[in-house]
Amino acid sequence: MSSEKVIPHSEAATRFNKDTERVNWHDETLWFVREKRDKAAHQIPDWELLREMASQIKNNVLSNIHDYLIEFEANAEKNGIKVHWAADAKEHNEIVHSIMVNHEVKQMVKSKSMLTEECHLNDYLAEKGIEVIDSDLGEYIVQLRKEPPSHIVLPAIHLKKEDVSETFHEHLGTEKGNINPQYLTESARLSLRNTFLTRKVALTGVNFAIAETGEIVVCTNEGNADMGAHLADVHIASMGFEKLIPKRKHLGVFLRLLARSATGQPITTFSSHFKKPRDGKEIHIVIVDNGRSTQLGREDFRNSLKCIRCGACMNTCPVYRRSGGHSYHNAVAGPIGSILAPNLDMSKNADLPFASTLCGSCTNVCPVKIDIHDQLYKWRQVLVKEGHTPTAKTIAMNTMATVLANPTIFNLAGKSGRFIMKNVPGLVNNKMNKWYDQREMPDVPEESFREWYKKNSREAKAKDNE
Amino acid sequence: MSSKGDILKKIKQNQPAFVTDLPDLNILGSEQFDRIETYKTVLKNIGGDAVEVHNYEDIIQYIKNNYNLEKRLITTIPELSGIAALDWTNDDPHSLQDVELNVIKAHFGVAENSALWVTDEVLGQRISPFIAQYLAVIVHKNDIVATMHQAYERIGNQEYGFGTFIAGPSKTADIEQSLVLGAHGARGLIVFLFD
C-alpha cells in the first residue's frame, strides 16, 4: 500500500485558490448547506439529546462489534443473503469480481459507495474488462470527467453548471451551451434509465446494517440505489464493518440525524431496508476491514469509526470550503477524511491532519459527536514522532523549541529578527517564507515588550526615582 | 480462503475492553405538534402534495382530472380497478418502465419528515414506486405518527423482505445545488390523506 506520489494539501490548495471567483463560490455554496443544516437541527428540540444518543449507540457498537458482526452475519444468512468478508481493498475487489464472473456479467451499475472509492473498485474492474457506470448524478458527472468525487454527499460540488454542460455535450450529446440544470438532469435521467434497465448486477453502499435483523439500509434522494437493485438479478452491497448498529429501533435516531446533518432535509427521499432477496435473485454483502480493525485499536482515533458519512464536518470547515475536496487526495476529504486517511497510509497522508485550523467547528456539528479536531491535533503529534513530517518543518520546530526554552537566545533572536525585518526585509519577505504568502507584515516595533517593560514597569520607575 | 476468522480475531483484540451500555431511547420522541398539519407542511417543503379525500371516488376524480388516462396507470388497490391496472404484480419488473402513474397504499406516515412506510406487502413489486413517472400514495390520517421513534415502534418486529420510507419525489441538487425533482424515480408525489 505504499506511497504513490501525491500533491500535498497545501500545494493543491494553492492551485485551487488561483481562481478567486470560483473559490468564493465554493466557499459560499458549502456554507449555505451548513446553514440549512442549522435550520433543520434547530427545529428539533431534542437535537442535542439525539446526538448524545447516537454517540452512545456508536460507542456501544465499537465496544462490542465482534459479537454484533457474528449476530448480523447469522441473521443475514437466515434471510437468504450471502455474506463475504474482505480483509483489505484487494480482497474486496476480488470478491466483487468473482461474483461478476460467476454470473458471466461484464457490466455493473453502481450507486454511491465511498468504500468502493476507497478500494478503487472501478479501476480494478476496468482492468478486468468490466464496465461500471456510477448512477448518482454527481458521481456520474465526475466519472464522465475521469475525476474522483470531491465530497462524500455532493460529489460534483467543485463544478459549475457550465462544466457539467460541456461534459454532457461531449458524452451525451446535449445541446452545446445549454446550462439549465433541469435539462441536464433530464438528459442524465434518460441515459441512466437505459442503464438501469439493462444491467444484471447492481452494487450499492450501505448506510446502516442491523445486527438484530440482518437487514441493511441504503439512503438516497435520487432513487438510484433502488432502481439498480430492484431491476438487477444480483445486488452486491459493500460495507465497512463499522456500519453496524444493534437494533432496528436505533434507526429512529440515525435517520433523524443523517439527512438533517448532511443537507438540512428532514430525511432522504428513500430510506430502503433490504432484508431478503426477491424470489430467485441474490443479495451479497461484502463486509470490509481495510485498516478499520487497526484504527479500532488506536485508542485516540477509534472514535473516527463512529462516522455516519453525513459530510457536515466538510460543509462547515473553513479549510475544506477554501481548498476543495480534491486537495485531500483521499476518498473521504475534509476533517473526517483527515483523521481516517493517516490510518490507511501514514506517510502518504501525513499532510492532512495539518490541513486544519483546529477551530473545532467540525466537532460541534458532528451528529455522532466525534472529537474530530482533537484527533487532528493528536495525529500531528503521532506523525511528527514517527518522522512523517517534512524535514524543513521538523528543523523549524526544533529550532523554535530551543529558542523558546532559553531566555537569552529568545532575546537575541527577537533583536536580530527586528533588525533584519527593518534593515534587510528581503531576507525574510521572500518566496521561501510561507508567512508572507498573501500577507503584509506590520511595521517592525522599535523595541520588544520586554525591553519596554524593563523601562516602564513600576519597579523600573521606582528605581529611576531613587 | 475466507478472511472472516482473521478479521474477527483482530477486532476482538482491538475493541475496547469494556462494553458500554446502550442508551434508553424511551425519552425521545415526546415532541408535541399537530401531526396532520406538520405532515402537510413538511411534504410541501420537500416537493410533494397532500390531497385530503373522504373516499375512493374522490381519489378517482382527482386522478381523472390530473393525469392522462391514455397512459399506463397501475395500482395495488382493487377499489381503483376502474382507472388503473391490477394485473402487473407478477410481470418482469422491467416491463413497468412505461408506467405513468402508480397508486399504492402506505402502512403509515411520519409527520416530522412526511415519510411513508411501504413494504413488499403493499408495493406489488419492489421497483413499482421508483420506476413510475409519478407516484400517488394513500394513507389514513389516523396512521400518521409523530416522529421516527414512533415509526419504528410501529414497525416493531414486522416481517418483510423489503421496506422503504418514501419522503417526497425523487430529487437531486448535484448540478450547482439547483434542486431538480425527478432524478431517477418519480417526478412527483401525491399523498392522499384519507379520513
Side-chain angles (χ1 to χ4, degrees), chain B residues 133-191:
Chain B
Q133 296 293 332
Y134 294 90
L135 180 65
V137 183
I138 300 172
V139 68
H140 278 267
K141 282 184 179 171
N142 292 337
D143 292 324
I144 303 287
V145 301
T147 74
M148 291 302 282
H149 307 299
Q150 286 84 16
Y152 279 102
E153 256 167 47
R154 175 113 180 215
I155 293 172
N157 295 318
Q158 188 190 359
E159 194 44 57
Y160 51 77
F162 173 76
T164 187
F165 281 104
I166 300 178
S170 145
K171 59 166 142 330
T172 181
D174 273 342
I175 300 175
E176 251 193 49
Q177 281 294 293
S178 310
L179 181 68
V180 178
L181 300 182
H184 297 302
R187 298 169 189 273
L189 172 73
I190 298 287
V191 178

Side-chain angles (χ1 to χ4, degrees), chain A residues 207-223:
Chain A
N207 289 92
F208 305 98
I210 299 138
E212 174 189 44
T213 59
E215 72 197 296
I216 53 165
V217 176
V218 183
C219 304
T220 72
N221 281 324
E222 299 182 7

Side-chain angles (χ1 to χ4, degrees), chain A residues 272-344:
Chain A
S272 292
H273 302 46
F274 294 86
K275 190 156 183 269
K276 295 174 184 168
R278 282 175 291 143
D279 281 345
K281 308 299 176 194
E282 295 175 20
I283 297 180
H284 295 255
I285 295 176
V286 190
I287 300 174
V288 181
D289 182 345
N290 203 34
R292 285 164 178 75
S293 58
T294 309
Q295 188 87 324
L296 187 63
R298 300 186 205 267
E299 211 182 317
D300 282 342
F301 305 115
R302 65 163 60 112
N303 265 343
S304 60
L305 296 172
K306 288 157 74 180
C307 177
I308 57 171
R309 301 291 191 271
C310 70
C313 61
M314 305 181 180
N315 304 339
T316 201
C317 178
V319 176
Y320 175 87
R321 282 186 279 119
R322 300 200 71 88
S323 61
H326 289 154
S327 64
Y328 292 80
H329 54 77
N330 188 53
V332 182
I336 183 68
S338 300
I339 58 176
L340 292 170
N343 176 59
L344 288 172

Side-chain angles (χ1 to χ4, degrees), chain A residues 34-62:
Chain A
R34 155 75 210 257
E35 286 178 325
K36 286 201 289 186
R37 172 260 174 215
D38 290 348
K39 214 176 140 202
H42 294 159
Q43 280 169 11
I44 308 291
D46 280 349
W47 183 257
E48 288 306 316
L49 188 60
L50 276 172
R51 288 178 72 216
E52 181 56 33
M53 293 279 175
S55 171
Q56 287 182 24
I57 295 167
K58 283 285 185 176
N59 282 336
N60 168 272
V61 168
L62 294 185

Side-chain angles (χ1 to χ4, degrees), chain A residues 1-263:
Chain A
M1 279 283 315
S2 208
S3 314
E4 54 197 270
K5 192 73 191 148
V6 294
I7 303 168
H9 179 272
S10 58
E11 198 181 320
T14 307
R15 289 187 201 176
F16 187 76
N17 272 276
K18 281 195 174 131
D19 188 341
T20 309
E21 209 176 305
R22 184 171 280 232
V23 175
N24 289 343
W25 173 81
H26 189 262
D27 179 26
E28 282 158 20
T29 305
L30 286 156
W31 184 251
F32 178 64
V33 181
R34 155 75 210 257
E35 286 178 325
K36 286 201 289 186
R37 172 260 174 215
D38 290 348
K39 214 176 140 202
H42 294 159
Q43 280 169 11
I44 308 291
D46 280 349
W47 183 257
E48 288 306 316
L49 188 60
L50 276 172
R51 288 178 72 216
E52 181 56 33
M53 293 279 175
S55 171
Q56 287 182 24
I57 295 167
K58 283 285 185 176
N59 282 336
N60 168 272
V61 168
L62 294 185
S63 70
N64 196 30
I65 195 147
H66 175 272
D67 290 0
Y68 285 140
L69 280 166
I70 290 173
E71 185 187 355
F72 173 75
E73 183 190 39
N75 286 325
E77 283 178 346
K78 241 183 267 167
N79 297 335
I81 292 174
K82 174 92 180 97
V83 178
H84 308 258
W85 299 75
D88 52 25
K90 181 169 169 280
E91 192 173 9
H92 165 264
N93 295 346
E94 285 166 1
I95 290 168
V96 173
H97 182 235
S98 72
I99 298 170
M100 304 289 292
V101 170
N102 286 344
H103 288 84
E104 296 175 5
V105 175
K106 292 210 166 289
Q107 293 175 313
M108 168 191 282
V109 64
K110 198 173 112 210
S111 72
K112 208 190 290 165
S113 151
M114 282 305 122
L115 178 60
T116 59
E117 294 291 334
E118 176 187 319
C119 295
H120 301 289
L121 176 70
N122 287 18
D123 295 341
Y124 176 89
L125 290 179
E127 273 172 35
K128 304 276 177 192
I130 288 174
E131 177 214 67
V132 180
I133 294 185
D134 282 313
S135 59
D136 171 86
L137 179 62
E139 286 213 310
Y140 183 60
I141 295 165
V142 296
Q143 188 187 29
L144 291 176
R145 297 170 61 91
K146 299 191 166 52
E147 289 174 0
S150 67
H151 188 293
I152 58 175
V153 175
L154 321 162
I157 194 67
H158 60 292
L159 298 171
K160 305 277 286 181
K161 50 189 178 221
E162 289 78 8
D163 305 321
V164 179
S165 171
E166 273 300 303
T167 304
F168 280 11
H169 173 66
E170 185 186 331
H171 294 274
L172 303 180
T174 57
E175 216 173 274
K176 193 167 175 61
N178 191 334
I179 57 166
N180 182 336
Q182 185 89 38
Y183 166 76
L184 295 170
T185 302
E186 182 65 23
S187 310
R189 175 184 170 106
L190 290 175
S191 167
L192 284 166
R193 224 164 221 249
N194 183 50
T195 305
F196 290 127
L197 287 165
T198 50
R199 296 306 184 268
K200 304 243 180 281
V201 175
L203 189 145
T204 71
V206 171
N207 289 92
F208 305 98
I210 299 138
E212 174 189 44
T213 59
E215 72 197 296
I216 53 165
V217 176
V218 183
C219 304
T220 72
N221 281 324
E222 299 182 7
N224 57 317
D226 289 280
M227 282 293 280
H230 305 314
L231 289 171
D233 295 335
V234 182
H235 171 190
I236 305 172
S238 296
M239 58 176 267
F241 68 63
E242 80 282 13
K243 296 287 175 184
L244 274 184
I245 59 172
K247 293 179 185 303
R248 204 186 251 172
K249 68 175 180 189
H250 293 136
L251 286 168
V253 173
F254 291 107
L255 292 182
R256 293 189 83 188
L257 287 165
L258 178 62
R260 289 187 174 97
S261 297
T263 58

Side-chain angles (χ1 to χ4, degrees), chain A residues 269, chain B residues 39-51 62 67 113-114 116 135-136 166-171 179 181 186-192:
Chain A
T269 305
Chain B
Y39 185 92
K40 291 198 295 196
T41 312
V42 176
L43 180 64
K44 197 166 171 43
N45 287 342
I46 61 175
D49 284 300
V51 178
Y62 183 91
Y67 296 91
N113 53 25
S114 88
L116 299 154
L135 180 65
I166 300 178
S170 145
K171 59 166 142 330
L179 181 68
L181 300 182
R187 298 169 189 273
L189 172 73
I190 298 287
V191 178
F192 292 114

